[in-house]
Amino acid sequence: MQLKRIPYALAAAGIGAALATGYMKYDGDAVSAAQAAPTVVAPIVAPNAAVRLPDFTTLAEKAGASVVNISVTGKTRTTGFDPDDIDPDSPFGEFFKRFGGPNGVPQMPRSTPSQGLGSGFIVSPDGYIITNAHVVDGASEVTVKLTDRREFTAKVIGADKRTDIALIKIDAKNLQALDISSPPGVKQGEWVVAIGSPFGFENSISAGIVSGVHRALPGGQMTPFIQTDVAVNPGNSGGPLLNSAGQVVGVNSQIYSRSGGYMGLSFAIPADVAVKVADQLKTHGKVSHGRLGIGIQQLNQSLAQSFGLPDTNGALVGTVEKGSPAEKAGIKAGDVIRKVDGVAMNDSTDVTSRIGNTAPGTKIALELWRDGKPVTVSATIGTFDEGKVAKSEDASENKGRLGLALRPLTPEEKKEVGHDGLVVENATGPAARAGIQAGDLIVGVGTQKITSMDELKKHVDKAGKSIALLVERDGRQIYVPVRLS
């Protein structure tokens, strides 16, 4: 159940060749052949028309000074185990007896400094900077370097993992900032530019086009990603994606790669999403995401036809949680959400991002398709219960001894995995040292299954110096011994 993200940027190799084949050049033979043909297809580009590639020199000069290099320092766990955690009669005990350190004793773990690189861009003259949440995640120190070589230690104002946006601040004045007050939309095929620090090469610029919009990615249900072919690589994360006019249209976040490097697929968080998140982080230090309490799925032609729809736009409601805002609004399984506040929804990504990025307590109008006709209902947006993730009494106490921040499975997640469990939102201390990671699922303690944080707390309270947790990752279960603090 582990979802991992890989950081990136955008590339445009071969653009000249592609454009060269995009227009037609006529000679005598070609004209004769065209006259003999029964039909003539007009070329997209007029014959002999001059084709000019865009010039980004002015854009680079104006926007480049607002893009910063970010380096982070944190702590990471290296190989090694505490011998007291290993049962000498277990297969692991025999393994380390044969292949461990001196005299068969496993080496003690140790913490060593870890380094990371990313990018960001200044959004206000007094030092506020937008970057990716994964760039500053777990950082003990964040250093920002400007294009004039000045360096500052930054404060993390807040980070939102659901949208992968973070806001940091440096103590500086009169900085050159990029305007994000009215972020424009993007269209497929338009030119875009990424500026960042791929592999540490500061203030690098790469260009390409928008390959697609409203892309859904694992773990990014609240973000309708912009897909581009701009060359983005590790170190570009958090840098701006700009249109040809120099306006910020996105924040570079991920690449799709089988090799770890750029393969022509880069993804950016839309600027309007980033602006809303940054505003909440600046005002409250955290982000409250909206929810309706429904499970939805994408429509295809067969589903659309079976529900009597004229097209595949919208999202099909599969489940409605009891007591949720959706149930109170009268939404039912089998409804199709077609519009939200009068805005047409193209697919399920549109719905999740629209709802998730709407402030809790907001009233919205939903146009549904039900029993072959449109129905409009009014719903009040709820909120994700962040207290259950990290701030409930149970979670905070468990976090003290285990180092775990947990939440229950959602009904959709429970249906997917087929059993109960607790999702690990964050792992520190004893749990992290034992190898437990965010995204793991705690399904049991010893031979006892776990269905709630109350049950886990009781086991932790009764435990001595260690506890055996049954952990599921990627569909496989393994017992992990954790030495309690």
Side-chain angles (χ1 to χ4, degrees):
M1 199 175 147
Q2 179 76 4
L3 293 178
K4 297 183 179 179
R5 62 175 67 232
I6 313 176
Y8 15 86
L10 325 171
I15 290 177
L19 285 176
T21 58
Y23 66 93
M24 300 175 64
K25 181 178 180 180
Y26 288 90
D27 56 22
D29 294 337
V31 172
S32 299
Q35 291 174 344
T39 59
V40 177
V41 179
I44 296 175
V45 179
N48 302 320
V51 177
R52 298 183 60 184
L53 294 176
D55 184 346
F56 297 117
T57 55
T58 302
L59 183 153
E61 291 174 359
K62 291 184 177 180
S66 301
V67 181
V68 303
N69 172 265
I70 298 175
S71 58
V72 299
T73 302
K75 293 288 184 179
T76 187
R77 198 71 182 179
T78 58
T79 56
F81 299 89
D82 189 332
D84 293 337
D85 280 342
I86 302 173
D87 184 351
D89 297 324
S90 71
F92 282 111
E94 180 63 25
F95 175 84
F96 284 111
K97 182 178 180 182
R98 291 175 178 270
F99 307 109
N103 302 318
V105 179
Q107 297 301 297
M108 292 293 290
R110 60 188 183 278
S111 295
T112 57
S114 64
Q115 301 292 328
L117 292 174
S119 302
F121 57 100
I122 302 167
V123 294
S124 68
D126 57 348
Y128 283 98
I129 296 168
I130 287 179
T131 185
N132 283 149
H134 75 259
V135 169
V136 298
D137 185 31
S140 58
E141 183 177 356
V142 179
T143 302
V144 171
K145 182 188 291 185
L146 307 183
T147 54
D148 60 10
R149 303 301 177 185
R150 286 186 295 166
E151 294 189 11
F152 300 85
T153 298
K155 177 184 178 181
V156 178
I157 303 301
D160 180 50
K161 291 184 179 181
R162 295 184 188 277
T163 55
D164 196 25
I165 290 295
L167 185 69
I168 63 177
K169 189 179 187 304
I170 59 176
D171 187 11
K173 303 293 183 182
N174 302 319
L175 299 176
Q176 183 172 322
L178 293 177
D179 182 14
I180 57 170
S181 58
S182 301
V186 292
K187 293 183 179 181
Q188 188 176 32
E190 75 170 285
W191 284 96
V192 283
V193 169
I195 306 179
S197 304
F199 302 111
F201 292 99
E202 301 171 13
N203 220 246
S204 296
I205 182 171
S206 52
I209 64 169
V210 174
S211 305
V213 295
H214 296 98
R215 298 300 197 202
L217 297 179
Q221 295 89 347
M222 293 183 184
T223 305
F225 286 96
I226 302 167
Q227 179 191 334
T228 77
D229 69 351
V230 181
V232 171
N233 284 288
N236 273 111
S237 292
L241 182 71
L242 307 112
N243 61 18
S244 57
Q247 299 169 299
V248 179
V249 296
V251 181
N252 297 311
S253 174
Q254 302 183 44
I255 59 173
Y256 179 87
S257 175
R258 294 180 179 176
S259 64
Y262 168 72
M263 294 183 68
L265 292 173
S266 307
F267 297 91
I269 302 156
D272 60 339
V273 173
V275 169
K276 292 177 182 178
V277 172
D279 285 344
Q280 288 197 56
L281 292 174
K282 184 177 180 179
T283 304
H284 307 291
K286 64 178 183 178
V287 178
S288 295
H289 287 287
R291 68 182 291 271
L292 280 178
I294 55 176
I296 59 177
Q297 68 183 86
Q298 189 80 353
L299 285 168
N300 56 30
Q301 185 174 350
S302 297
L303 284 172
Q305 290 176 346
S306 65
F307 283 93
L309 287 163
D311 52 50
T312 58
N313 294 334
L316 175 62
V317 177
T319 58
V320 179
E321 297 177 19
K322 291 184 178 180
S324 66
E327 185 184 55
K328 294 175 181 177
I331 299 174
K332 303 176 181 179
D335 287 344
V336 177
I337 300 176
R338 300 278 284 176
K339 292 182 180 180
V340 177
D341 284 338
V343 179
M345 299 289 102
N346 293 321
D347 49 34
S348 58
T349 303
D350 274 355
V351 176
T352 53
S353 62
R354 181 88 181 192
I355 300 302
N357 292 299
T358 298
T362 303
K363 289 186 177 182
I364 60 172
L366 297 169
E367 184 179 303
L368 311 174
W369 184 264
R370 178 185 297 168
D371 298 328
K373 59 183 179 181
V375 175
T376 300
V377 300
S378 177
T380 301
I381 298 293
T383 183
F384 281 94
D385 190 356
E386 299 294 342
K388 290 185 178 180
V389 175
K391 295 184 179 179
S392 71
E393 182 179 354
D394 292 347
S396 61
E397 291 184 11
N398 284 337
K399 190 171 183 179
R401 296 200 73 193
L402 282 174
L404 290 176
L406 305 162
R407 67 169 175 82
L409 284 168
T410 65
E412 294 78 19
E413 291 170 336
K414 183 177 178 181
K415 183 178 180 181
E416 180 182 351
V417 300
H419 53 74
D420 286 302
L422 300 174
V423 180
V424 176
E425 287 282 332
N426 186 37
T428 59
R433 289 194 291 271
I436 297 175
Q437 304 172 5
D440 287 345
L441 189 65
I442 308 298
V443 297
V445 175
T447 59
Q448 302 297 313
K449 298 297 183 182
I450 294 296
T451 60
S452 69
M453 286 184 283
D454 282 332
E455 292 180 1
L456 178 60
K457 181 178 181 298
K458 291 178 182 178
H459 284 288
V460 173
D461 289 343
K462 292 188 297 182
K465 293 184 177 180
S466 64
I467 189 171
L469 300 180
L470 184 59
V471 179
E472 180 172 320
R473 181 185 298 171
D474 296 329
R476 297 182 180 182
Q477 295 183 357
I478 185 173
Y479 280 100
V480 177
V482 180
R483 283 181 60 83
L484 298 173
S485 58

